[in-house]
Amino acid sequence: MGGRLSAASSFPRLRCAHAEWMSELLPGLWDLPLHHLSIPGSHDTMTYCLSRTSPVSRKESWLLQLVSKVVPCVMQPVVLKWSITQVLTVKEQLDTGVRYLDLRIAHMLEGSKKSLHFVHMVYTTALVEDTLTEISEWLENHPREVVILACRNFEGMTQELHEYLVGCIKNIFGDMLCPRGEVPTLRQLWSAGHQVIVSYEDAHTLSRHLELWPGILYWWGNKVKTDELIGYLESMKSRGRPDGLFVAGINLTESLEYVLVHPAASLQKLTLSNLPRLSAWVREQRPGPARGCTNIIAADFVGADSFVGDVIGLNDKLLCCGQSPSVES
């Protein structure tokens, strides 16, 4: 689809590696709220299907939009290489164990009245409604797995479109939606039949719908160098963990200047070359309620290495350190 890259030659696909990891957690973790668990996430989840023919997002800099219009045959492939952060489809990401999906939603000026796409510098071929349906179908086949959908960006969205989107969310997920309140535990979610937490970064829409949760804090370093990104994340940890769900993003970020100076490079090459150092940092983390603990950790190119398994494996530290409650299975 569109600008989707071939992953086979770049890194092995880890399909279905952790498709049931939540249901397979030891009972000692069932009564911990989700924000005290370690949860793998994908950054800019839908970029595997960015369109090669879409215009540059109108939220991008005027310079990028200008260059893309003047020399599209040169600039468009370059923009695409630096926009794609995932190569696995949303179903493949869920199969690998990803449970936080970063959904950047937009309405294209050229699009039909209620056709919503995803966006990261350019727009996707995939429609939001179709993708939400895919996620719902996957959840029906995995009844004890829970996903967190972070709906954000909202480029070109009117209030009418927000209401349309929320209507789609309600219609597609129905009773799977967990209403806003205290962060639940897995046991509570399973008991109620809830599988979806939707965070929504629009205050007006949020106030009108109890099925929506506030936007989830994302620690975004905006760094192109790994040591600087890790330094930023450690600085954020030193300030203490937030009260609710939050994300530590281990995604490297390039500037327009960097892209123009490195036309032969790509975000994939940048990420894969730095994975060993980023993975080492991930394995050092610890979930839980204490100061300096992490919760959701989101990455680019999930499935490229042991990232998902490493994040899930951090939950074992809660058991070995006696932080989990004593429960009966």
Side-chain angles (χ1 to χ4, degrees):
M1 269 193 293
R4 185 174 174 187
L5 296 179
S6 172
S9 62
S10 302
F11 53 84
R13 290 179 180 271
L14 305 177
R15 291 177 180 171
C16 302
H18 301 285
E20 303 280 352
W21 73 264
M22 286 181 159
S23 64
E24 294 170 353
L25 285 175
L26 293 175
L29 299 172
W30 295 355
D31 289 315
L32 292 179
L34 293 184
H35 64 303
H36 291 171
L37 294 178
S38 182
I39 299 172
S42 62
H43 169 248
D44 268 308
T45 299
M46 297 302 298
T47 55
Y48 63 86
C49 57
L50 292 176
S51 172
R52 296 183 184 275
T53 59
S54 287
V56 170
S57 164
R58 57 184 183 272
K59 275 196 171 183
E60 296 302 320
S61 71
W62 66 269
L63 177 59
L64 181 58
Q65 294 188 53
L66 176 62
V67 174
S68 183
K69 289 178 180 178
V70 173
V71 283
C73 58
V74 175
M75 198 61 194
Q76 201 74 359
V78 173
V79 170
L80 202 64
K81 287 194 303 179
W82 288 98
S83 302
I84 294 173
T85 68
Q86 306 295 340
V87 295
L88 300 184
T89 69
V90 68
K91 284 186 176 180
E92 289 171 340
Q93 291 179 43
L94 291 169
D95 280 339
T96 65
V98 168
R99 295 294 177 267
Y100 166 90
L101 303 179
D102 176 16
L103 305 179
R104 315 289 181 94
I105 297 171
H107 181 259
M108 297 171 58
L109 283 175
E110 302 83 358
S112 61
K113 185 176 181 182
K114 289 187 177 178
S115 291
L116 299 178
H117 296 256
F118 302 97
V119 64
H120 184 223
M121 296 180 75
V122 295
Y123 305 96
T124 64
T125 56
L127 296 176
V128 171
E129 191 170 353
D130 293 341
T131 300
L132 296 179
T133 300
E134 282 189 82
I135 296 169
S136 174
E137 291 171 349
W138 188 92
L139 289 169
E140 289 176 358
N141 293 319
H142 301 81
R144 284 163 68 89
E145 298 302 300
V146 176
V147 298
I148 300 163
L149 306 181
C151 297
R152 44 200 307 231
N153 193 84
F154 297 131
E155 178 187 319
M157 294 280 286
T158 63
Q159 198 55 50
E160 179 185 4
L161 284 171
H162 278 294
E163 291 301 317
Y164 168 73
L165 175 56
V166 174
C168 289
I169 291 170
K170 291 181 180 181
N171 290 334
I172 291 169
F173 294 112
D175 293 337
M176 289 183 183
L177 291 171
C178 177
R180 184 165 69 243
E182 293 186 4
V183 180
T185 67
L186 285 174
R187 191 189 296 272
Q188 290 169 338
L189 289 162
W190 294 338
S191 176
H194 295 150
Q195 292 182 266
V196 183
I197 289 177
V198 177
S199 75
Y200 205 90
E201 293 188 2
D202 180 78
H204 180 71
T205 306
L206 179 68
S207 67
R208 294 167 55 88
H209 300 279
L210 290 176
E211 295 86 353
L212 305 178
W213 292 64
I216 295 173
L217 179 65
Y218 195 110
W219 288 352
W220 178 54
N222 193 22
K223 307 294 184 183
V224 73
K225 295 183 179 179
T226 301
D227 287 343
E228 291 181 0
L229 173 59
I230 290 174
Y232 162 80
L233 293 172
E234 288 297 321
S235 173
M236 297 302 292
K237 284 171 55 183
S238 70
R239 303 177 188 181
R241 56 151 297 144
D243 291 332
L245 293 161
F246 73 102
V247 183
I250 62 166
N251 44 286
L252 297 169
T253 306
E254 76 293 338
S255 64
L256 177 58
E257 291 76 12
Y258 186 91
V259 171
L260 294 176
V261 172
H262 300 82
S266 69
L267 185 58
Q268 187 178 26
K269 291 178 181 178
L270 176 66
T271 300
L272 296 185
S273 65
N274 285 281
L275 273 182
R277 180 74 179 93
L278 293 170
S279 298
W281 181 86
V282 168
R283 290 189 290 270
E284 294 170 357
Q285 304 315 301
R286 183 182 301 276
R291 185 181 185 87
C293 287
T294 53
N295 176 207
I296 301 165
I297 302 179
D300 292 331
F301 303 103
V302 296
D305 66 349
S306 61
F307 164 74
V308 173
D310 289 342
V311 176
I312 296 169
L314 296 176
N315 290 303
D316 293 341
K317 297 182 181 182
L318 293 168
L319 293 168
C320 70
C321 296
Q323 294 187 45
S324 62
S326 176
V327 298
E328 298 179 0
S329 59

